[in-house]
Each structure stands twice: as C-alpha cells, then as structure tokens.
Amino acid sequence: MVINKKDIVKKIIKNPHATINTMGKAYAPANIALAKYWGKRNDILNLPFTSSLSISLANYGATTTITTTQEADQYFLNQTQQDPNTEFSLRLKKFLDLFRPAKDFYFNVATESTVPIAAGLASSAAGFAALTLALDQFFNWNLDKQQLSILARLGSGSASRSLFQGFVEWNAGDQEDGMDSYAHPLPEKWPELRIGLLLLDSNKKPLSSREAMQRTVETSPYYHRWPEQVAHAIEHLHQAIHTKDFELLGKTSEKNALGLHATMLTAQPPVCYWLPETLQAMQHLWTLRTAGISVYFTQDAGPNLKLLFLEKDLDKLTQEFPKLITINPFSYEE
Ligand code: PMV
C-alpha cells in the first residue's frame, strides 16, 4: 500500500485542530549542505537515499506568519501578494492542504525572507521549516523538533535540517514510512567559521532541484557511486568538525559539491547549473588557494557559490570579492 503524506501527518499530530490561535509566527534559518542530499528513495515522502550534513545560516532565513482569511488562501512573500497559480503558491497550497481543518478554512501566510528566493540558496528549506513551526504554534500541536523535522521534510527534503542552527545531520533512515528520517543538531560549535554567499545570478533557476534530482537518479551513469561518496564525506565532516580541521572540512565539502555536479552533467539531458561566472569564480578561488588563502566552495542547484573560510581570512576575501555576503553561522542566539 502506498503511504501518502496525510498518513504521516495523522501519525504525528494527535490533536490536529484542538485549538486554533489567532496567529502563529516563527523563524527558521536557511541551511547549506556540506554533504548533499541528492536522490529520493521515496518521491512522495521526500525520503532520501543518503543522509546529509549541513550548516545553518543563523539570521539568514525566513520568518513566517500564519493567520486566517475569508474566501481563499492568501500568500505574501516579502510583502508582495503572490498569484495563486505560481509554482510557489501551488507548492504552498499543497502543503497547507495537509493541515487544513475544513475545505472552507483559509490561511493567510506571510513570509519575510532574508535570502534570495530560488537562487539555489536553500530558501525553500527555510520557508517550509518556518511554516511548519508557525503551524505548530497556530494549532497548538506542541510537537517536538524531531516530529517537526519530519513534517517539514514533507514540504521540502532539505527543510528537515532548517529546524536547527549550527551543524545539522539528517539521517536517511530506512523505514518505509520515513518515521526515522529526520534531522538533529550536532553539539560542536565553530565560532571562527564563516560562510560567504557569492551571488553570481539571482534569477530563478531554470530547473527545480526536484526535477534535476529525479533525472540524475534515473539517467546518470555515475549516480550509483554517489551514496558511497556521501557516506565518506559525512564521516570526514564529523572528523573535521570534531577536531576543527578546516582543511578537511573545506576539501570534503568542495569535493562533495563537485561530485554532485558531475552526476548532473552526466544526466540525460544534461543538467548544468554552471554559468561562465560560476567557473570563473571557481578558478579565482583555486588560484587564491594556491597562493595560500584557505578558502573552499560548495554549490547547490543554482549557479551561485557558497564559500567556506575562517574569520582570519575575511578581509582578504572581501577584497577579492567585494560583493561577498559574509555570514557567521554561530552568531545566532540560543
Ligand atoms: O530540498 P530540496 O528538494 O530543495 O533539495 C535540495 C538539494 C540540494 O540543495 C542541492 C542539496 C541539499 O542537501 O540541500
């Protein structure tokens, strides 16, 4: 029997609409995977083939406010009302339908995002995580973070990791219903670590990560090596985080990102998120590394690069990349 999202919602939420508050409001950070999630063993429940490990972006993320409205759902993104037929609205509606108390119950959802939407900067992760937290408040479910991580995953896989700050690992799990597939935070902190966002193009990506992922799994002759690569990467990342070995962290993350793009480039038809500017920036970074600056990159389903470096190199890197947005991932408040 096929397990659908509603079945999972029923398993987790015992008192779906016991109380309905006038408002629910919550914040969730965006996150960047250092060992990536790529490929689903279950397409409906967003269950991954592999575990993944990410770093959350402190105060770069989404704040979502939920209230009710009269005649139809209304969605706002950065104060602009969204057409109900956009991909953004349709995805949101599908997720909200899982929790709607009655057919004629309508949500007003307002999201303020501090990260560029759909530019491969994991904005959907922050959005679905903030929405899940806001729904928990709105309906007084009082769920724990593990349960909320599972619910957020139903919106977008990587959202399962945005429930937490710092380093976060999403365990793939192996149960058919995915009740063991959720994220947890790692205890280690690394205050000197910095993330740089190198925005090379903020237009919407031409192909969604959902489609790109599926095509890669189905057609890339290299995909079968991917699970083993991610497992190694996670092992090395644990070691790097535990011993604060920055070279190992950077090298592992960059290699994992390039491995990810190698599977995409060999898909049929090929999936290429690289722009000339992307390659140019990579070469610039490799040159800097040869010159002794310890900087690495990672890249998701978009043309932008995310840099990894330590605070001591901040000045040099802002000189090289004047538009670099720098984030201290451990600057969040507990
Ligand atoms: O959660 P999705 O469906 O947006 O997929 C995220 C895919 C990557 O960003 C490329 C990797 C990851 O682990 O975040």
Side-chain angles (χ1 to χ4, degrees):
M1 204 188 67
V2 179
I3 304 169
N4 61 38
K5 289 184 183 176
K6 276 233 156 122
D7 300 326
I8 304 302
V9 169
K10 270 193 210 140
K11 272 190 198 203
I12 294 179
I13 308 169
K14 303 293 176 222
N15 55 342
H17 322 116
T19 1
I20 298 179
N21 290 321
T22 43
M23 190 178 101
K25 184 173 179 179
Y27 170 79
N31 76 80
I32 286 172
L34 305 179
K36 316 267 186 207
Y37 147 58
W38 198 248
K40 302 178 200 208
R41 66 182 158 89
N42 180 321
D43 219 33
I44 300 170
L45 304 177
N46 291 337
L47 294 177
F49 279 119
T50 73
S51 297
S52 53
L53 199 153
S54 61
I55 177 91
S56 285
L57 298 188
N59 52 354
Y60 276 76
T63 301
T64 295
T65 310
I66 301 177
T67 51
T68 46
T69 179
Q70 287 303 312
E71 278 163 14
D73 281 5
Q74 290 184 341
Y75 309 139
F76 294 83
L77 182 56
N78 295 337
Q79 283 153 31
T80 307
Q81 185 160 8
Q82 304 294 302
D83 184 312
N85 297 315
T86 59
E87 206 187 305
F88 172 89
S89 300
L90 295 172
R91 235 179 125 187
L92 197 56
K93 179 175 180 303
K94 225 169 139 187
F95 188 72
L96 290 168
D97 283 347
L98 296 170
F99 311 104
R100 204 180 293 279
K103 271 210 164 90
D104 60 352
F105 185 101
Y106 300 111
F107 294 101
N108 179 311
V109 178
T111 296
E112 297 291 321
S113 172
T114 45
V115 277
I117 301 295
L121 291 178
S123 48
S124 75
F128 278 111
L131 180 61
T132 305
L133 285 161
L135 283 165
D136 181 63
Q137 263 190 29
F138 185 72
F139 289 120
N140 257 333
W141 295 328
N142 288 313
L143 299 177
D144 60 33
K145 285 275 189 100
Q146 181 175 314
Q147 295 168 310
L148 292 167
S149 174
I150 295 177
L151 291 181
R153 189 196 74 226
L154 301 178
S156 162
S158 53
S160 66
R161 299 184 309 240
S162 271
L163 267 295
F164 309 95
Q165 292 281 14
F167 292 112
V168 181
E169 186 168 356
W170 169 18
N171 283 315
D174 55 18
Q175 288 176 19
E176 202 190 338
D177 61 2
M179 292 301 283
D180 57 350
S181 185
Y182 50 83
H184 67 275
L186 304 187
E188 290 94 343
K189 296 199 167 35
W190 199 333
E192 303 81 19
L193 187 68
R194 294 291 177 273
I195 309 284
L197 300 183
L198 200 53
L199 223 61
L200 302 164
D201 179 82
S202 57
N203 291 320
K204 203 177 156 345
K205 52 191 165 190
L207 191 68
S208 70
S209 50
R210 166 173 282 274
E211 280 174 79
M213 219 181 264
Q214 195 176 1
R215 192 189 297 172
T216 308
V217 174
E218 285 168 6
T219 65
S220 168
Y222 297 146
Y223 187 77
H224 73 284
R225 295 291 309 276
W226 175 250
E228 182 194 323
Q229 284 174 38
V230 180
H232 278 141
I234 292 180
E235 216 180 290
H236 287 145
L237 287 171
H238 274 292
Q239 193 188 332
I241 292 166
H242 199 64
T243 59
K244 285 205 179 165
D245 180 341
F246 179 70
E247 301 300 317
L248 184 61
L249 183 95
K251 239 184 241 172
T252 308
S253 308
E254 188 173 301
K255 183 173 164 189
N256 184 260
L258 289 169
L260 171 84
H261 286 271
T263 68
M264 294 192 214
L265 290 167
T266 45
Q268 211 39 251
V271 178
C272 182
Y273 286 112
W274 297 22
L275 291 175
E277 292 83 350
T278 313
L279 182 59
Q280 219 166 30
M282 283 181 189
Q283 283 170 332
H284 190 162
L285 290 163
W286 289 324
T287 309
L288 290 176
R289 222 148 70 205
T290 322
I293 301 178
S294 196
V295 57
Y296 294 85
F297 67 82
T298 182
Q299 183 191 358
D300 294 290
N304 304 308
L305 297 184
K306 291 94 182 206
L307 311 193
L308 297 166
F309 56 94
L310 294 174
E311 189 192 8
K312 66 178 174 54
D313 290 319
L314 177 64
D315 289 348
K316 276 180 259 172
L317 286 163
T318 37
Q319 257 171 35
E320 296 288 336
F321 302 99
K323 287 190 194 148
L324 192 71
I325 302 168
T326 304
I327 298 165
N328 174 354
F330 290 94
S331 62
Y332 60 88
E333 287 179 20
E334 298 277 355

